[in-house]
Amino acid sequence: MIMPIRQFQAQRMQAPRNFQPVENTPVCVEIGAGKGKHALLFSGQHPELKLIAVERTREKFVAMQKQHGLEGQQNLTPVHADALPWVVHALYPAQVQQLFILYPNPEPHNPAQRWLNMPFFEFLLSRLQVNGTVTLASNIPEYIEEAEQQLKEVWKLPYEKQIIASDSARTHFEIKYLERGELCQQLVICKPESYSTRFDSFQPLNGQNAEPADVQ
């Protein structure tokens, strides 16, 4: 089933608590970074790239922050925030080189909240550089199949479907799923030069619409 996509209301997004602006320089971004296993690996393997790792759950963020303090990668910035308002307030058009969404919540009871079914995905694409990539990984075949269908019918984007090697260990979830013998797959989605969105000129809100200080 093709999910209809309404327009994302970016201007209504309130700033995350303790929001810190981001410089308008090329970055990689991981959404839902968890305890930071992939973020730490990636930043260690690619010292020439800057990675911002966003995690909403405080417990997981603290674990990532602690491990980052031990390893000390200068090119990694952990961020504790909900990804949607953070992206709207922080990122510039065509700023992101690579975007990682690894083993997101499959939202079995709310398909509209899956990443490629969300209006927000159009905004996310506007932040991606030409020839930039989105890597979406899952251990659920139906999730990957639906995402493929959305890419073909709604977003009209080129992509490569890959089977993840059985010895891959990018995230704690990935290790667990592969040890169980589950099929893990990823879509590497590319933004072509001719691609456009309705948000290509939308500048980051940079802390406008900030929440009151006493709001949790």
Side-chain angles (χ1 to χ4, degrees), residues 35-184:
K35 296 180 180 179
K37 186 171 180 61
H38 173 262
L40 292 158
L41 285 170
F42 181 88
S43 56
Q45 293 168 353
H46 302 279
E48 77 284 4
L49 299 176
K50 179 180 178 181
L51 176 66
I52 302 175
V54 184
E55 174 54 43
R56 179 175 59 184
T57 306
R58 178 164 184 79
E59 181 183 356
K60 293 179 180 178
F61 169 77
V62 168
M64 171 168 54
Q65 193 177 44
K66 181 178 179 180
Q67 191 62 32
H68 180 226
L70 294 172
E71 298 187 24
Q73 291 91 327
Q74 295 298 307
N75 58 328
L76 173 61
T77 303
V79 170
H80 181 216
D82 184 293
L84 274 68
W86 183 83
V87 166
V88 169
H89 282 265
L91 296 181
Y92 290 80
Q95 182 181 11
V96 178
Q97 299 164 300
Q98 299 181 57
L99 175 70
F100 298 96
I101 307 174
L102 305 180
Y103 304 96
N105 184 338
E107 303 287 353
H109 304 298
N110 192 2
Q113 291 298 309
R114 296 172 192 158
W115 285 100
L116 272 71
N117 297 343
M118 296 169 64
F120 174 70
F121 193 69
E122 180 183 5
F123 188 90
L124 207 52
L125 293 171
S126 76
R127 307 299 97 174
L128 202 63
Q129 293 182 356
V130 170
N131 297 319
T133 58
V134 179
T135 300
L136 175 71
S138 179
N139 65 316
I140 301 172
E142 294 80 9
Y143 189 100
I144 293 291
E145 290 167 10
E146 181 186 76
E148 282 190 274
Q149 190 177 25
Q150 293 293 91
L151 287 170
K152 293 173 183 175
E153 301 295 334
V154 176
W155 304 114
K156 303 187 186 304
L157 282 166
Y159 67 93
E160 183 179 343
K161 184 178 182 179
Q162 301 171 346
I163 295 176
I164 295 166
S166 59
D167 60 351
S168 186
R170 293 177 299 181
T171 78
H172 294 95
F173 282 125
E174 186 165 86
I175 293 169
K176 179 173 69 173
Y177 299 146
L178 290 170
E179 283 179 347
R180 290 178 183 169
E182 295 183 21
L183 173 65
C184 292

Side-chain angles (χ1 to χ4, degrees), residues 201-216:
S201 300
F202 189 99
Q203 296 300 307
L205 294 180
N206 276 325
Q208 298 176 43
N209 307 331
E211 295 183 8
D214 59 348
V215 174
Q216 296 299 316

